[in-house]
Amino acid sequence: QVQLVESGGGLAQPGGSLRLSCVASGFTFSNYGMGWARQAPGKGLEWLGGIHSDGSDTYYVDSVRGRFTISRDNAKDTLYLQMNSLKPEDTAVYYCLKIPGDYIPLTLDYDYSGQGTQVTVSS
């Protein structure tokens, strides 16, 4: 069965950085687009962006473009989210998403998610 396991969350100071990882199993990772989303306290799931199956293309929403970078290592079945210049409003649970096909959606579109990892940005 499909499994997505995130790690790397924690506490960061404003202006700091964190890198999240997501190890995938149960499907052919290199055949699918992948993405990240987050859910802040009391809010809905927010799509952050995605990456094409071969890593050749990425998409980011405006709120994270220029600060966050999505990458993948298909040899390791692993998806990454490098987060720089973190802000308190980035505090949320971050989820790794499997996209249903080989594309990058512009809005939330997924068929599986991980269990999430907490990111807290505070001084």
Side-chain angles (χ1 to χ4, degrees):
Q1 70 280 20
V2 173
Q3 285 194 315
L4 302 169
V5 181
E6 301 97 336
S7 62
L11 177 64
Q13 292 191 339
S17 298
L18 283 174
R19 188 176 84 153
L20 307 183
S21 300
C22 170
V23 178
S25 62
F27 65 103
T28 305
F29 182 72
S30 59
N31 286 354
Y32 291 89
M34 296 291 295
W36 289 94
R38 67 187 179 188
Q39 187 166 26
K43 296 189 176 182
L45 194 62
E46 177 190 12
W47 171 241
L48 298 181
I51 186 167
H52 194 261
S53 60
D54 64 0
S56 61
D57 194 18
T58 53
Y59 169 79
Y60 303 93
V61 297
D62 288 347
S63 60
V64 305
R65 186 177 295 119
R67 300 189 299 123
F68 290 9
T69 302
I70 298 172
S71 61
R72 64 192 296 162
D73 184 341
N74 285 348
K76 296 181 178 180
D77 291 348
T78 302
L79 178 72
Y80 301 100
L81 179 65
Q82 177 67 44
M83 303 185 293
N84 298 330
S85 302
L86 284 164
K87 305 175 182 180
E89 52 263 43
D90 293 320
T91 295
V93 177
Y94 284 70
Y95 295 91
C96 168
L97 306 179
K98 175 186 173 293
I99 294 166
D102 188 14
Y103 59 92
I104 307 174
L106 301 184
T107 59
L108 200 60
D109 179 11
Y110 67 100
D111 52 6
Y112 294 92
S113 69
Q115 82 289 349
T117 187
Q118 176 71 47
V119 171
T120 302
V121 184
S122 174
S123 55

